[in-house]
Amino acid sequence: MIRFIDLPDAHPGRRILSGRTPLFAAPSEPRCSYTTYVPGCYDWERRPRVLVAVHGTGRDVERTRDRFRALAEEQGLIVVAPLFPAGLDDPDDLHNYKVLEYSTIRFDLVLLRILDEVTQRWNARTSEVLLCGHSGGAQFAHRFWYLHPERVAAAAFSAPGRVTLVDDTIDWPSGTRDTAARFGIRVEPDALRSTPVHLVIGADDRGEADLAATAAATPDQPGRTRLERLSALEDNLRNHGISTSKNIVPAAGHDADATAPAIARFFGDLPIPGRSTPE
């Protein structure tokens, strides 16, 4: 693999590995891929932090990345946006990545291998990342955090249509009772408490028709609207002692462009140093 530091200053490859980068095949699952935004202030020696932004069902991966360009420039972050394609194995499947496992693929492990490659290529600090997602991306993101809390410094979840509660009386993906058998990982509330969490949704984002269409696939969901389900997730996390804040965006529907600014403010205001310093 070519590392950024291995290229001479005038090499055209440096332009490819800066700013908006191409889509690179994921190292462990080449049907998946990822793109990054590397800010103009990028410095190999300063080991930049990483923000992972996960797309929704529409797979608008480049737009997902670009919503956080300003934050990347302000804080010296690299934005990593994975692409989990639709139609893997089943040509009509749209939802594969949202519950982390599908067919023979563990999408959480695909992301971890992507982060390993980002570390090598850009000398980024990926041991703890900022993590966010909208809609289907929020579904993936909060479930990824449950299984890998040690890898998430802070998280923001925007308008997930289906939620997983930390609840040992309900099976995955509505609860966490069977995660040890399913993933080899038991979800431990104590491990989640060090992660500040921000929940975001549009005030007009109800989505009752959309959620009714998927009701049979995910029973035991709390509430009939995205607003109700996000409130249930908020209550569940707080009941487990997890620091959780929420922002309801006025006059917004199911719109990632409308909720992204609240996510960027949350990450920008964290007492975690966003602009990297030498270790």
Side-chain angles (χ1 to χ4, degrees), residues 136-219:
Q139 290 193 48
F140 172 92
H142 81 286
R143 293 170 181 136
F144 177 93
W145 167 54
Y146 287 168
L147 297 191
H148 307 283
E150 74 285 352
R151 300 299 300 268
V152 181
F157 312 127
S158 169
R162 293 175 287 174
V163 298
T164 297
L165 303 183
V166 181
D167 186 338
D168 282 343
T169 69
I170 304 171
D171 283 341
W172 190 268
S174 291
T176 54
R177 175 169 54 192
D178 60 339
T179 58
R182 187 182 291 267
F183 300 110
I185 301 170
R186 180 176 174 81
V187 176
E188 297 288 356
D190 287 350
L192 301 173
R193 292 188 186 116
S194 63
T195 306
V197 172
H198 192 56
L199 307 176
V200 190
I201 193 167
D204 299 331
D205 186 358
R206 301 186 62 80
E208 290 174 88
D210 293 344
L211 302 185
T214 60
T218 312

Side-chain angles (χ1 to χ4, degrees), residues 22-47:
L23 284 159
F24 295 98
S28 63
E29 175 47 79
R31 292 179 294 176
C32 299
S33 56
Y34 70 97
T35 179
T36 66
Y37 181 78
V38 181
C41 59
Y42 167 72
D43 182 344
W44 175 276
E45 299 299 331
R46 294 178 72 83
R47 302 208 64 207

Side-chain angles (χ1 to χ4, degrees), residues 16-27:
I16 296 296
L17 298 179
S18 301
R20 297 181 177 98
T21 70
L23 284 159
F24 295 98

Side-chain angles (χ1 to χ4, degrees), residues 239-262:
N239 288 340
H240 286 287
I242 297 160
S243 175
T244 307
S245 56
K246 186 166 74 170
N247 190 312
I248 298 178
V249 181
H254 195 57
D255 183 353
D257 290 336
T259 59

